[in-house]
Amino acid sequence: MPLKSAVSFLQLPPSFLLPRLSLNYVPSRGIRSLTPPRPNRFNRSQDLPLLESTTAAALERKAYTIPLRTGALGIKKGMTAIYNPETGRRYACTVVQMDRVQVVAHKTRKRNGYFAVQVGSGWKHPSNVTRPLLGHYAEHGVSPKRHLAEFKVRDENGLLGIGEMIGASWFQEGQFVDARANCRGMGFAGGMKRHGFSGQPASHGVSLTHRSMGSAGQSQGGGSRVYPGKKMAGRMGGQQVTVQNVKVLKVDDVNGLVVLNGCIAGPDGCVVKLQDAVKKPWPDMPSNAEAASEAASAMV
């Protein structure tokens, strides 16, 4: 039987059906992107910081908004007025009294993820304090406190010694502070009082619903539901309100009084948190309470 002749080149399948033997094959034609990458003139510098998503990096980015020193707790005593002897102008002011304000504990970045100072004020009988909290006070050698609060600081330089007392001289006359307090609670209020609704018409078919809210939402077009965040009747007041850039008019270190310009949130007897204003230059005051007291007395 005669041998078959070799397969000729003309009998091979087309080239696009043959396997690609070359790994560096680059097609000459392809699909062109509608949005090709363009160079950004804002990303050409070599000194750009690397993007980080850690908690420490987030704290570093907003470190300029965290005060250098801790704050203090006070009790709002009421309002009065001060006259300027030079101009004769009358200034309405708020009196805040500081009662045995003392550093109770520290929060560190290694243990808690941020730096903060826990401050207590007043005094509380041990029989009215829970045992875990009694152990917390006993661990740091501090008497039980009536009120506790926490103030963030930028770094470890703002951590005062545990047990150190903070007086009214912690603040100086002329500086600006941020005052935080819980505003006066109104209880359950309607839509007109809580949100300023105008109410229903006084006549023209309205019967006994003059102060009602009205419709709370549509039916079929909006999914037959009430949208989250809808302004409705509910509990009014009682939340924390911050009054920024309050000027300190007077400081009485003997009686523990700090006189603030204008009014702040909360009724008389409420707890007020005072700390250096974030939107003003930091005061030129030492971070140590004793040094601050000496500086205040030297200014007087």
Side-chain angles (χ1 to χ4, degrees), residues 243-270:
V243 182
Q244 294 182 330
N245 304 333
V246 183
K247 189 176 182 180
V248 178
L249 298 180
K250 292 287 183 180
V251 173
D252 186 358
D253 194 20
V254 177
N255 298 316
L257 300 178
V258 178
V259 182
L260 305 176
N261 184 29
C263 60
I264 60 176
D268 294 348
C270 69

